[in-house]
Amino acid sequence: MTSSKYLIVLSFDAMSSEDYHYMKDLPNFKFILNNGTHIEKVTSVYPTLTYPAHTSIITGMLPKNHGIVNNTLFQPGRMSPDWHWYRKYVKCPTLYDLAKENGLKTAALLWPVTAGANIDYNLPEIWPNKWYENQALVSLLSGAPCYILKLNDKFGKLRKGISQPFLDDFILQSTLYTIKKKKPNLLLVHFTDVDTNRHLFGYNAKESIDAIHRHDFRLGEILKATKDIGIYEDTTFVILGDHSALDEHTIININVLFKEKGLITLDSNGRLKDWEAYFSSCDGSGYVYLKNPHNSHLIKKVEDILLNFIKSGDSGIEALLNKDQAISLGANDKCSFMLEAKKGYYFLEKYTGSIFEKIDESLIGVKKHYTMATHGYSPLKPNYSTIFTAMGRNIKKGGVIKEANIVDEGPTLAKIIGISMKNTDGKVIDDLFI
């Protein structure tokens, strides 16, 4: 099989397999669907979060094996933990590593977990999280400085921080520039317009659907750019998602429960002083970590507390998973338990206030962590899968594949550009190819 000279991977964050309903009626999505092959249902990883999922996409590995087990680092007591921004956290080879080893030119725009990565043209997704940092500094120190300065000089005026649709408009223009001026063999682009609007307004809100329409326009501009410079026939296009989203109405604060049971202690200023058990949120699910994970008495105590809480009434919790069960689903092997929320509920890490909080819609976008829809739930929840569509060299035209797993995407993307990704949890989706 002759490999594709160019591969453009467009990640449309939070787009669901249910969105094919809209995509088939939009001109550019429809063109890709009709002239390529799409997978009806792609099962994501657990937890179904952006950073674990995107790392699985480009490694073919489950979170427990690639190391990105949550969006954020485990930093007890910090209400705004740092994220897994850096490539150094990934414990296995990535698609862009392999591409570089094979002499291919690489580029990435806001692709998660690429700060400090060996990518030729890299604008990583990272933001300042300390009082002494600023956006320009953290970006320049974590990516390709000259490239980033050029993009900001040419298109920076389009941005308004991370507000949408302005951020994705900036990324679109940066993508078009990169295609035309750099011609990378592998281009990874992460768009977040749909994800942002589903968080702010809800899964099926007009604002969320409008974002899908904007993505269709962005896709059309990218297709046109490859035609303008004569590389369209040598390019394979992949459109994919990382997770879906579910509407919600109530927050659960498990650390408040742990504080009430004496497992978390606070100082006189209400700050975390010490902990025996700590809940780390993944939004729709979360990890329970023990300071002494080998203490059988503590394990039993925490399990009893959680089981009694679940049995006491409508806890909003769908399942309590022990360590082995969590590992079997690909989640972090360092946790002692995982909690899965019912639809309509999600978790925060707060250890003060009430265990339950009803979401006040008037405070969405004002009160931090208040959202109308989110992700992180089990990928096995009904109607909660994501998308994958490919079009280009050696890709079947008008093909439909019933289902696949997101860890299958890494080895499949590697095959498209003629390289091999070995020893993965996923497998090549052979039905994609002629």
Side-chain angles (χ1 to χ4, degrees), residues 124-298:
E125 182 170 273
I126 186 171
W127 53 88
N129 203 34
K130 297 178 178 65
W131 66 268
Y132 53 83
E133 295 176 335
N134 62 63
Q135 185 62 63
L137 181 63
V138 296
S139 293
L140 290 171
L141 291 176
S142 305
C146 293
Y147 174 64
I148 292 171
L149 287 170
K150 174 65 75 173
L151 296 182
N152 283 326
D153 178 61
K154 293 181 71 67
F155 313 117
K157 62 183 179 294
L158 297 174
R159 295 182 65 165
K160 294 183 180 179
I162 60 172
S163 298
Q164 292 290 11
F166 311 105
L167 177 59
D168 276 8
D169 290 344
F170 166 75
I171 292 302
L172 171 63
Q173 293 305 318
S174 298
T175 299
L176 300 179
Y177 170 84
T178 303
I179 291 170
K180 292 176 179 179
K181 299 298 183 181
K182 307 300 183 184
K183 291 185 182 179
N185 303 105
L186 172 65
L187 173 59
L188 305 170
V189 188
H190 179 217
F191 291 105
T192 62
D193 200 352
V194 170
D195 183 67
T196 296
N197 281 284
R198 283 186 161 153
H199 280 307
L200 291 175
F201 301 103
Y203 179 80
N204 275 318
K206 178 183 182 299
E207 293 86 351
S208 303
I209 308 310
D210 288 346
I212 296 175
H213 284 248
R214 288 192 290 270
H215 280 340
D216 184 74
F217 169 79
R218 292 169 183 133
L219 172 60
E221 291 295 288
I222 291 166
L223 292 171
K224 181 176 181 298
T226 63
K227 293 176 180 177
D228 288 345
I229 61 170
I231 66 169
Y232 175 81
E233 297 297 335
D234 295 318
T235 302
T236 295
F237 302 88
V238 170
I239 298 164
L240 53 81
D242 54 349
H243 53 68
S244 183
L246 296 173
D247 289 326
E248 58 210 8
H249 51 70
T250 303
I251 295 165
I252 311 170
N253 295 305
I254 294 297
N255 284 329
V256 173
L257 173 66
F258 286 166
K259 178 177 68 69
E260 292 178 356
K261 298 299 182 180
L263 296 169
I264 286 177
T265 55
L266 308 181
D267 64 17
S268 58
N269 295 313
R271 293 189 292 260
L272 184 70
K273 181 179 180 181
D274 200 3
W275 58 279
E276 291 184 85
Y278 194 89
F279 181 80
S280 178
S281 171
C282 304
D283 294 333
S285 64
Y287 297 110
V288 176
Y289 295 110
L290 304 185
K291 182 165 279 188
N292 186 349
H294 305 295
N295 184 328
S296 58
H297 173 74
L298 180 59

Side-chain angles (χ1 to χ4, degrees), residues 276-347:
E276 291 184 85
Y278 194 89
F279 181 80
S280 178
S281 171
C282 304
D283 294 333
S285 64
Y287 297 110
V288 176
Y289 295 110
L290 304 185
K291 182 165 279 188
N292 186 349
H294 305 295
N295 184 328
S296 58
H297 173 74
L298 180 59
I299 294 171
K300 182 66 166 58
K301 179 180 178 180
V302 171
E303 183 178 33
D304 287 344
I305 288 171
L306 292 171
L307 287 173
N308 288 333
F309 176 67
I310 293 169
K311 293 174 182 176
S312 66
D314 189 3
S315 65
I317 295 174
E318 184 174 285
L320 169 64
L321 285 68
N322 62 32
K323 179 175 182 173
D324 290 340
Q325 290 170 322
I327 293 172
S328 72
L329 293 173
N332 191 6
D333 59 3
K334 302 297 189 296
C335 74
S336 294
F337 300 98
M338 280 194 80
L339 292 175
E340 171 71 17
K342 293 179 180 177
K343 186 177 179 181
Y345 294 82
Y346 74 109
F347 299 104

